[in-house]
């Protein structure tokens, strides 16, 4: 999977599935020959989709990209329906597919947590909490680790941190979230559980707040952030970002945020402007090698 080719769409996700598996999944009863390993075909299709979800999670980690979120929400529900085996999932899934589906569900949940890291998104939280309530013989320690990690990502640092996408950060996330989920707390046979803590190397503080210079107290005001369009992930960054002027890549683009907030991926940032009638107008230029200021006095 090439980094720049990953797209936050269902079409891209389905395109990763080989044609013969797509055809089999569309009509498994029409391919009832005993020459097929039907269990392997069913589970292979599910695992490819889960792997694609994981790729989307890494590619859009910390961006709160709206399209990526919707794709991942859809697939968390899809795998959850298969685990419930209540008829709302794939009609050919059986109880023998349950362990594979649980792994796919955990992977999709972690991907959702990565994309929405630090936003405290309510829709994602409600869905993940619903999965956490499931208790039966098939729910192992690793399931709880994955789901609680995903929920924890939503509230990183109390909403002050999110996930970076530097080379080091992506490598750390791959190690920390490797989709091999253990049965109990002492199992290290296939995966060393201490590696789960590597996610801390991917954390990035991107909380921006404003302070009234006269009273030295925090205040909530609108800001306008101008970028050069270098990042292709500014479509709808978070719940704090209005559906404002996001222009084609390579052109100047503006977005409005209300402080305090998590700023979007800082790639290509050029200017931060105070846009409140209550305070003096102010511009904060951002040089290419500078980081986004975490406090702006107004």
């Amino acid at each position: 999977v090439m980094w720049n080719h990953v797209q936050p769409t269902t079409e891209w996700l389905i395109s990763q599935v080989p044609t013969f598996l797509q055809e089999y999944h569309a009509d498994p009863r029409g391919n009832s020959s005993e020459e097929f390993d039907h269990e392997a075909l069913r589970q292979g299709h599910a695992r490819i989709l889960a792997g694609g979800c994981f790729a989307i999670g890494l590619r859009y980690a910390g961006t709160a990209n709206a399209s990526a979120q919707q794709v991942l929400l859809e697939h968390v529900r899809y795998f959850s329906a298969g685990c419930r085996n209540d008829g709302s999932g794939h009609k050919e899934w059986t109880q023998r597919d349950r362990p594979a589906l649980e792994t796919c569900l955990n992977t999709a949940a972690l991907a959702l947590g990565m994309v929405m890291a630090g936003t405290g998104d309510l829709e994602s939280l409600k869905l993940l909490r619903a999965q956490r309530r499931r208790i039966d013989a098939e729910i192992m320690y690793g399931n709880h680790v994955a789901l609680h990690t995903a929920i924890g990502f939503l509230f990183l640092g109390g909403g002050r941190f999110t996930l970076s996408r530097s080379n080091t950060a992506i490598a750390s996330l791959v190690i920390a979230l490797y989709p091999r989920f253990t049965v109990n707390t002492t199992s290290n046979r296939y995966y060393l559980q201490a590696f789960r803590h590597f996610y801390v190397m991917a954390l990035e503080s991107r909380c921006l707040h404003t302070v009234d210079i006269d009273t030295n107290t925090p205040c909530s005001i609108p800001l306008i952030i101008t970028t050069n369009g270098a990042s292709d992930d500014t479509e709808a960054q978070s719940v704090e970002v209005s559906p404002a002027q996001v222009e084609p890549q390579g052109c100047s683009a503006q977005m409005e945020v209300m402080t305090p907030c998590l700023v979007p991926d800082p790639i290509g940032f050029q200017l931060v402007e105070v846009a409140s009638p209550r305070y003096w107008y102010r511009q904060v230029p951002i040089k290419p090698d500078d980081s986004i200021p975490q406090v702006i006095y107004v």
Side-chain angles (χ1 to χ4, degrees):
V1 177
M2 302 299 292
W3 179 266
N4 290 330
H5 294 172
V6 177
Q7 298 296 323
T9 63
T10 301
E11 291 74 19
W12 178 85
L13 201 56
I14 293 176
S15 71
Q16 305 307 302
V17 181
T19 304
F20 78 93
L21 268 183
Q22 294 184 34
E23 295 172 351
Y24 174 85
H25 186 73
D27 185 21
R29 295 184 184 276
N31 298 277
S32 56
S33 170
E34 295 183 358
E35 297 179 0
F36 293 119
D37 184 342
H38 297 280
E39 182 176 342
L41 292 173
R42 289 193 305 269
Q43 295 184 16
H45 183 273
R47 291 181 185 276
I48 292 172
L49 290 179
C53 289
F54 194 66
I56 291 175
L58 291 171
R59 176 67 175 82
Y60 294 92
T63 66
N65 183 283
S67 298
Q69 180 195 15
Q70 291 307 312
V71 170
L72 295 173
L73 286 170
E74 174 187 340
H75 281 81
V76 170
R77 296 188 182 104
Y78 173 74
F79 292 127
S80 177
C83 294
R84 291 196 304 269
N85 198 23
D86 59 0
S88 57
H90 191 257
K91 57 187 175 182
E92 295 302 314
W93 277 335
T94 67
Q95 188 62 25
R96 289 188 299 178
D97 299 321
R98 177 73 184 278
L101 290 172
E102 289 288 352
T103 298
C104 294
L105 173 61
N106 295 340
T107 304
L110 287 171
L112 177 61
M114 282 191 281
V115 172
M116 304 306 294
T119 65
D121 181 68
L122 182 59
E123 185 178 8
S124 302
L125 174 63
K126 288 163 62 176
L127 181 58
L128 294 173
R129 287 186 64 188
Q131 308 313 312
R132 189 189 64 165
R133 294 192 184 101
R134 300 175 305 128
I135 300 176
D136 58 45
E138 297 293 336
I139 303 298
M140 302 298 179
Y141 168 74
N143 298 83
H144 292 291
V145 169
L147 292 173
H148 283 80
T149 299
I151 293 174
F153 279 170
L154 294 179
F155 301 95
L156 282 175
R160 294 178 292 111
F161 285 77
T162 187
L163 297 176
S164 170
R165 291 187 299 164
S166 65
N167 291 339
T168 300
I170 294 300
S172 301
L173 289 173
V174 170
I175 295 171
L177 307 180
Y178 190 78
R180 185 71 184 184
F181 305 104
T182 54
V183 175
N184 54 53
T185 58
T186 60
S187 175
N188 292 286
R189 184 174 182 181
Y190 300 108
Y191 179 82
L192 184 61
Q193 294 190 48
F195 286 159
R196 295 291 182 202
H197 298 282
F198 274 37
Y199 79 92
V200 298
M201 292 191 288
L203 299 189
E204 182 176 53
S205 178
R206 291 215 302 260
C207 182
L208 174 62
H209 62 275
T210 47
V211 176
D212 189 309
I213 196 169
D214 293 322
T215 62
N216 202 33
T217 57
C219 57
S220 180
I221 66 171
L223 300 177
I224 295 177
I225 298 176
T226 303
T227 74
N228 61 10
S231 174
D232 60 351
D233 306 321
T234 55
E235 169 204 355
Q237 299 291 347
S238 75
V239 293
E240 299 292 348
V241 176
S242 66
Q245 318 150 348
V246 177
E247 302 175 13
Q249 183 172 349
C251 302
S252 178
Q254 290 185 331
M255 63 188 74
E256 184 175 337
V257 298
M258 181 67 71
T259 61
C261 65
L262 277 179
V263 297
D265 193 333
I267 297 175
F269 274 27
Q270 294 179 323
L271 186 68
V272 178
E273 301 173 78
V274 175
S276 171
R278 297 177 54 198
Y279 296 93
W280 289 106
Y281 176 78
R282 182 185 176 190
Q283 289 185 344
V284 182
I286 308 295
K287 297 180 180 179
D289 296 330
D290 289 348
S291 59
I292 299 297
Q294 296 188 11
V295 180
I296 295 180
Y297 287 90
V298 294

mmCIF file of all heavy atoms in Angstrom, residues 83-105:
data_model
loop_
_atom_site.group_PDB
_atom_site.id
_atom_site.type_symbol
_atom_site.label_atom_id
_atom_site.label_comp_id
_atom_site.label_asym_id
_atom_site.label_seq_id
_atom_site.Cartn_x
_atom_site.Cartn_y
_atom_site.Cartn_z
ATOM 1 N N CYS A 83 -19.862 -10.042 14.332
ATOM 2 C CA CYS A 83 -19.570 -10.652 15.640
ATOM 3 C C CYS A 83 -20.840 -11.005 16.399
ATOM 4 O O CYS A 83 -20.883 -11.996 17.133
ATOM 5 C CB CYS A 83 -18.707 -9.706 16.478
ATOM 6 S SG CYS A 83 -17.050 -9.435 15.811
ATOM 7 N N ARG A 84 -21.877 -10.190 16.226
ATOM 8 C CA ARG A 84 -23.143 -10.480 16.910
ATOM 9 C C ARG A 84 -23.855 -11.668 16.307
ATOM 10 O O ARG A 84 -24.641 -12.345 16.961
ATOM 11 C CB ARG A 84 -24.064 -9.256 16.849
ATOM 12 C CG ARG A 84 -23.587 -8.073 17.674
ATOM 13 C CD ARG A 84 -24.733 -7.086 17.877
ATOM 14 N NE ARG A 84 -25.315 -6.651 16.605
ATOM 15 C CZ ARG A 84 -24.910 -5.583 15.933
ATOM 16 N NH1 ARG A 84 -23.889 -4.856 16.392
ATOM 17 N NH2 ARG A 84 -25.490 -5.235 14.797
ATOM 18 N N ASN A 85 -23.612 -11.896 14.993
ATOM 19 C CA ASN A 85 -24.244 -13.017 14.291
ATOM 20 C C ASN A 85 -25.762 -12.953 14.414
ATOM 21 O O ASN A 85 -26.436 -13.949 14.670
ATOM 22 C CB ASN A 85 -23.733 -14.355 14.832
ATOM 23 C CG ASN A 85 -24.006 -15.512 13.873
ATOM 24 O OD1 ASN A 85 -24.175 -15.297 12.675
ATOM 25 N ND2 ASN A 85 -24.068 -16.725 14.395
ATOM 26 N N ASP A 86 -26.319 -11.732 14.276
ATOM 27 C CA ASP A 86 -27.759 -11.547 14.428
ATOM 28 C C ASP A 86 -28.488 -11.381 13.102
ATOM 29 O O ASP A 86 -29.639 -10.970 13.057
ATOM 30 C CB ASP A 86 -28.029 -10.315 15.297
ATOM 31 C CG ASP A 86 -27.428 -9.039 14.692
ATOM 32 O OD1 ASP A 86 -26.818 -9.129 13.606
ATOM 33 O OD2 ASP A 86 -27.567 -7.959 15.316
ATOM 34 N N GLY A 87 -27.777 -11.703 12.009
ATOM 35 C CA GLY A 87 -28.397 -11.603 10.693
ATOM 36 C C GLY A 87 -28.153 -10.284 9.991
ATOM 37 O O GLY A 87 -28.440 -10.144 8.807
ATOM 38 N N SER A 88 -27.611 -9.296 10.703
ATOM 39 C CA SER A 88 -27.362 -7.993 10.083
ATOM 40 C C SER A 88 -25.999 -7.938 9.407
ATOM 41 O O SER A 88 -25.706 -6.988 8.692
ATOM 42 C CB SER A 88 -27.461 -6.877 11.133
ATOM 43 O OG SER A 88 -26.550 -7.108 12.198
ATOM 44 N N GLY A 89 -25.144 -8.936 9.639
ATOM 45 C CA GLY A 89 -23.845 -8.998 8.997
ATOM 46 C C GLY A 89 -23.913 -9.835 7.731
ATOM 47 O O GLY A 89 -24.976 -10.062 7.159
ATOM 48 N N HIS A 90 -22.775 -10.307 7.277
ATOM 49 C CA HIS A 90 -22.724 -11.130 6.072
ATOM 50 C C HIS A 90 -23.457 -12.445 6.330
ATOM 51 O O HIS A 90 -23.247 -13.104 7.343
ATOM 52 C CB HIS A 90 -21.268 -11.387 5.686
ATOM 53 C CG HIS A 90 -21.123 -12.003 4.333
ATOM 54 N ND1 HIS A 90 -20.850 -13.337 4.142
ATOM 55 C CD2 HIS A 90 -21.234 -11.462 3.103
ATOM 56 C CE1 HIS A 90 -20.794 -13.592 2.844
ATOM 57 N NE2 HIS A 90 -21.008 -12.462 2.196
ATOM 58 N N LYS A 91 -24.323 -12.824 5.416
ATOM 59 C CA LYS A 91 -25.234 -13.953 5.659
ATOM 60 C C LYS A 91 -24.519 -15.292 5.764
ATOM 61 O O LYS A 91 -25.097 -16.253 6.270
ATOM 62 C CB LYS A 91 -26.275 -14.012 4.541
ATOM 63 C CG LYS A 91 -25.674 -14.124 3.140
ATOM 64 C CD LYS A 91 -26.743 -14.005 2.072
ATOM 65 C CE LYS A 91 -26.150 -14.001 0.668
ATOM 66 N NZ LYS A 91 -27.192 -13.846 -0.368
ATOM 67 N N GLU A 92 -23.274 -15.389 5.288
ATOM 68 C CA GLU A 92 -22.573 -16.671 5.319
ATOM 69 C C GLU A 92 -21.612 -16.804 6.491
ATOM 70 O O GLU A 92 -20.972 -17.841 6.650
ATOM 71 C CB GLU A 92 -21.796 -16.867 3.999
ATOM 72 C CG GLU A 92 -22.690 -16.991 2.781
ATOM 73 C CD GLU A 92 -23.673 -18.140 2.897
ATOM 74 O OE1 GLU A 92 -23.247 -19.248 3.296
ATOM 75 O OE2 GLU A 92 -24.853 -17.942 2.594
ATOM 76 N N TRP A 93 -21.467 -15.793 7.321
ATOM 77 C CA TRP A 93 -20.565 -15.897 8.458
ATOM 78 C C TRP A 93 -21.087 -16.908 9.464
ATOM 79 O O TRP A 93 -22.287 -16.990 9.721
ATOM 80 C CB TRP A 93 -20.392 -14.543 9.133
ATOM 81 C CG TRP A 93 -19.370 -13.691 8.449
ATOM 82 C CD1 TRP A 93 -18.333 -14.116 7.680
ATOM 83 C CD2 TRP A 93 -19.299 -12.270 8.462
ATOM 84 N NE1 TRP A 93 -17.606 -13.041 7.228
ATOM 85 C CE2 TRP A 93 -18.171 -11.899 7.695
ATOM 86 C CE3 TRP A 93 -20.059 -11.272 9.058
ATOM 87 C CZ2 TRP A 93 -17.798 -10.583 7.501
ATOM 88 C CZ3 TRP A 93 -19.689 -9.959 8.874
ATOM 89 C CH2 TRP A 93 -18.571 -9.609 8.097
ATOM 90 N N THR A 94 -20.173 -17.653 10.039
ATOM 91 C CA THR A 94 -20.536 -18.658 11.030
ATOM 92 C C THR A 94 -19.790 -18.377 12.332
ATOM 93 O O THR A 94 -18.958 -17.473 12.409
ATOM 94 C CB THR A 94 -20.172 -20.066 10.531
ATOM 95 O OG1 THR A 94 -18.732 -20.183 10.452
ATOM 96 C CG2 THR A 94 -20.767 -20.333 9.154
ATOM 97 N N GLN A 95 -20.081 -19.196 13.339
ATOM 98 C CA GLN A 95 -19.421 -19.023 14.625
ATOM 99 C C GLN A 95 -17.918 -19.240 14.508
ATOM 100 O O GLN A 95 -17.137 -18.661 15.258
ATOM 101 C CB GLN A 95 -20.019 -19.996 15.653
ATOM 102 C CG GLN A 95 -19.539 -19.783 17.078
ATOM 103 C CD GLN A 95 -19.914 -18.423 17.643
ATOM 104 O OE1 GLN A 95 -20.886 -17.814 17.209
ATOM 105 N NE2 GLN A 95 -19.132 -17.930 18.594
ATOM 106 N N ARG A 96 -17.499 -20.059 13.554
ATOM 107 C CA ARG A 96 -16.055 -20.298 13.375
ATOM 108 C C ARG A 96 -15.326 -19.058 12.866
ATOM 109 O O ARG A 96 -14.108 -18.957 12.979
ATOM 110 C CB ARG A 96 -15.842 -21.470 12.411
ATOM 111 C CG ARG A 96 -16.210 -22.814 12.986
ATOM 112 C CD ARG A 96 -15.794 -23.931 12.064
ATOM 113 N NE ARG A 96 -16.462 -23.838 10.770
ATOM 114 C CZ ARG A 96 -16.249 -24.676 9.759
ATOM 115 N NH1 ARG A 96 -15.365 -25.657 9.887
ATOM 116 N NH2 ARG A 96 -16.897 -24.532 8.628
ATOM 117 N N ASP A 97 -16.073 -18.111 12.280
ATOM 118 C CA ASP A 97 -15.465 -16.869 11.797
ATOM 119 C C ASP A 97 -15.315 -15.833 12.911
ATOM 120 O O ASP A 97 -14.679 -14.802 12.710
ATOM 121 C CB ASP A 97 -16.318 -16.258 10.679
ATOM 122 C CG ASP A 97 -16.432 -17.174 9.478
ATOM 123 O OD1 ASP A 97 -15.422 -17.813 9.139
ATOM 124 O OD2 ASP A 97 -17.527 -17.247 8.890
ATOM 125 N N ARG A 98 -15.886 -16.102 14.074
ATOM 126 C CA ARG A 98 -15.945 -15.095 15.135
ATOM 127 C C ARG A 98 -14.557 -14.593 15.569
ATOM 128 O O ARG A 98 -14.363 -13.369 15.680
ATOM 129 C CB ARG A 98 -16.707 -15.675 16.330
ATOM 130 C CG ARG A 98 -16.791 -14.765 17.552
ATOM 131 C CD ARG A 98 -17.734 -13.606 17.345
ATOM 132 N NE ARG A 98 -17.723 -12.709 18.502
ATOM 133 C CZ ARG A 98 -18.417 -12.902 19.613
ATOM 134 N NH1 ARG A 98 -19.225 -13.970 19.721
ATOM 135 N NH2 ARG A 98 -18.346 -12.046 20.605
ATOM 136 N N PRO A 99 -13.570 -15.457 15.835
ATOM 137 C CA PRO A 99 -12.254 -14.917 16.243
ATOM 138 C C PRO A 99 -11.639 -13.976 15.210
ATOM 139 O O PRO A 99 -11.070 -12.937 15.569
ATOM 140 C CB PRO A 99 -11.407 -16.179 16.434
ATOM 141 C CG PRO A 99 -12.395 -17.253 16.748
ATOM 142 C CD PRO A 99 -13.595 -16.928 15.912
ATOM 143 N N ALA A 100 -11.755 -14.332 13.931
ATOM 144 C CA ALA A 100 -11.217 -13.467 12.877
ATOM 145 C C ALA A 100 -11.962 -12.139 12.838
ATOM 146 O O ALA A 100 -11.351 -11.071 12.668
ATOM 147 C CB ALA A 100 -11.300 -14.170 11.523
ATOM 148 N N LEU A 101 -13.282 -12.189 13.002
ATOM 149 C CA LEU A 101 -14.071 -10.964 12.962
ATOM 150 C C LEU A 101 -13.769 -10.068 14.160
ATOM 151 O O LEU A 101 -13.775 -8.842 14.044
ATOM 152 C CB LEU A 101 -15.565 -11.313 12.924
ATOM 153 C CG LEU A 101 -16.055 -11.943 11.615
ATOM 154 C CD1 LEU A 101 -17.498 -12.415 11.768
ATOM 155 C CD2 LEU A 101 -15.937 -10.957 10.470
ATOM 156 N N GLU A 102 -13.501 -10.672 15.316
ATOM 157 C CA GLU A 102 -13.135 -9.877 16.483
ATOM 158 C C GLU A 102 -11.820 -9.134 16.236
ATOM 159 O O GLU A 102 -11.668 -7.959 16.602
ATOM 160 C CB GLU A 102 -13.016 -10.767 17.725
ATOM 161 C CG GLU A 102 -14.333 -11.307 18.251
ATOM 162 C CD GLU A 102 -15.184 -10.238 18.913
ATOM 163 O OE1 GLU A 102 -14.700 -9.108 19.104
ATOM 164 O OE2 GLU A 102 -16.352 -10.532 19.223
ATOM 165 N N THR A 103 -10.869 -9.815 15.610
ATOM 166 C CA THR A 103 -9.594 -9.159 15.273
ATOM 167 C C THR A 103 -9.810 -8.010 14.298
ATOM 168 O O THR A 103 -9.231 -6.925 14.448
ATOM 169 C CB THR A 103 -8.620 -10.186 14.676
ATOM 170 O OG1 THR A 103 -8.335 -11.199 15.645
ATOM 171 C CG2 THR A 103 -7.317 -9.518 14.252
ATOM 172 N N CYS A 104 -10.678 -8.225 13.305
ATOM 173 C CA CYS A 104 -10.970 -7.170 12.332
ATOM 174 C C CYS A 104 -11.668 -5.992 13.004
ATOM 175 O O CYS A 104 -11.369 -4.825 12.695
ATOM 176 C CB CYS A 104 -11.838 -7.730 11.210
ATOM 177 S SG CYS A 104 -11.008 -8.969 10.179
ATOM 178 N N LEU A 105 -12.594 -6.287 13.918
ATOM 179 C CA LEU A 105 -13.281 -5.222 14.643
ATOM 180 C C LEU A 105 -12.302 -4.403 15.472
ATOM 181 O O LEU A 105 -12.353 -3.167 15.480
ATOM 182 C CB LEU A 105 -14.357 -5.838 15.545
ATOM 183 C CG LEU A 105 -15.070 -4.882 16.509
ATOM 184 C CD1 LEU A 105 -15.793 -3.779 15.744
ATOM 185 C CD2 LEU A 105 -16.062 -5.653 17.386
#
